[in-house]
Amino acid sequence: DAGVIQSPRHEVTEMGQEVTLRCKPISGHNSLFWYRQTMMRGLELLIYFNNNVPIDDSGMPEDRFSAKMPNASFSTLKIQPSEPRDSAVYFCASIIRLTGKAFFGQGTRLTVV
Amino acid sequence: GDSVTQMEGPVTLSEEAFLTINCTYTATGYPSLFWYVQYPGEGLQLLLKATKADDKGSNKGFEATYRKETTSFHLEKGSVQVSDSAVYFCALSLDRDDKIIFGKGTRLHILP
């Protein structure tokens, strides 16, 4: 298995532009998480899905952020419009339900200028 | 609410030194506890886990014991190597859902 696949690996965009991050979880995993990592705040859980249904989105910073999981093999995190304070590394992780063992992608480094 | 607190870094040690990274938790119920490691430029990966009180998780020479009485899960290694340089995250998960709550991470530097 190729593991959790995220794209792009790096994204540089101008303030105000729309950004879409993509994630392909490991086949057979029931739950998917989106995290944001910064030096200041560490690793923050943004949202997680179970069986493609959003369960907890309380970590989504504001309405500019949205996430979807249209099927078991694909999820997106969208920021519109983007702002410089959104610059961070965004990780996607998938997990077999109730095992606690999460598999992380390599992350997308987002820079908003 | 549920949370994890771990010691601030960076921690800098010489090769072959003894390592301890402290971790304490607050949780309603009985969590499973984890240590994850993040090498430069990569995502987190599970290092070890313990699912109930007094369990000891171990992997790659690292150990941690689930201490319910002190709500702690300290990470230890007897002799560190340069290749252990990374960021270490303590985490918990509750049986009621899959949410994993991470500490802020501790950066470890090992000098040759």
Side-chain angles (χ1 to χ4, degrees):
Chain A
D1 199 319
V4 176
I5 300 173
Q6 291 187 244
S7 64
R9 289 292 311 277
H10 302 274
E11 176 81 37
V12 180
T13 190
E14 290 185 348
M15 186 173 75
Q17 296 297 305
E18 176 182 303
V19 175
T20 299
L21 312 182
R22 297 173 175 79
C23 175
K24 182 181 187 317
I26 293 173
S27 177
H29 284 194
N30 315 90
S31 295
L32 181 141
F33 303 81
W34 282 100
Y35 288 91
R36 177 171 70 177
Q37 186 177 35
T38 60
M39 291 291 291
M40 291 296 293
R41 292 208 284 270
L43 198 63
E44 303 172 273
L45 176 64
L46 300 177
I47 186 170
Y48 85 94
F49 296 85
N50 180 248
N51 292 329
N52 314 338
V53 176
I55 302 299
D56 183 350
D57 65 355
S58 59
M60 296 286 262
E62 46 197 276
D63 291 347
R64 297 185 297 106
F65 286 68
S66 62
K68 293 182 180 178
M69 192 165 186
N71 56 60
S73 58
F74 184 65
S75 177
T76 58
L77 178 68
K78 184 181 291 186
I79 308 172
Q80 180 185 23
S82 58
E83 296 182 4
R85 60 193 167 119
D86 301 331
S87 298
V89 181
Y90 290 81
F91 287 102
C92 174
S94 69
I95 189 172
I96 297 174
R97 184 154 170 71
L98 298 180
T99 64
K101 184 174 180 180
F103 293 79
F104 280 73
Q106 291 192 293
T108 296
R109 181 174 295 277
L110 173 65
T111 304
V112 183
V113 298
Chain B
D2 306 317
S3 65
V4 174
T5 303
Q6 58 184 106
M7 62 190 289
E8 299 242 348
V11 173
T12 302
L13 296 172
S14 297
E15 205 166 22
E16 299 183 4
F18 184 86
L19 168 72
T20 300
I21 300 178
N22 290 339
C23 171
T24 57
Y25 67 89
T26 301
T28 51
Y30 301 97
S32 294
L33 301 174
F34 309 87
W35 278 100
Y36 279 78
V37 59
Q38 183 181 29
Y39 298 104
E42 298 183 11
L44 282 69
Q45 53 186 276
L46 181 66
L47 179 60
L48 54 85
K49 67 183 276 190
T51 57
K52 61 183 187 298
D54 300 324
D55 268 2
K56 178 185 284 189
S58 61
N59 187 22
K60 300 182 181 179
F62 290 90
E63 293 182 338
T65 301
Y66 190 143
R67 301 284 188 204
K68 188 179 171 194
E69 62 276 13
T70 54
T71 62
S72 65
F73 193 55
H74 305 320
L75 182 68
E76 296 182 336
K77 186 174 185 182
S79 176
V80 292
Q81 306 299 313
V82 172
S83 56
D84 294 327
S85 298
V87 182
Y88 291 82
F89 292 86
C90 187
L92 69 82
S93 178
L94 291 153
D95 284 345
R96 60 175 178 263
D97 60 32
D98 279 324
K99 191 157 74 171
I100 302 177
I101 297 168
F102 287 91
K104 289 189 179 295
T106 302
R107 185 174 297 276
L108 175 66
H109 293 290
I110 305 300
L111 304 174

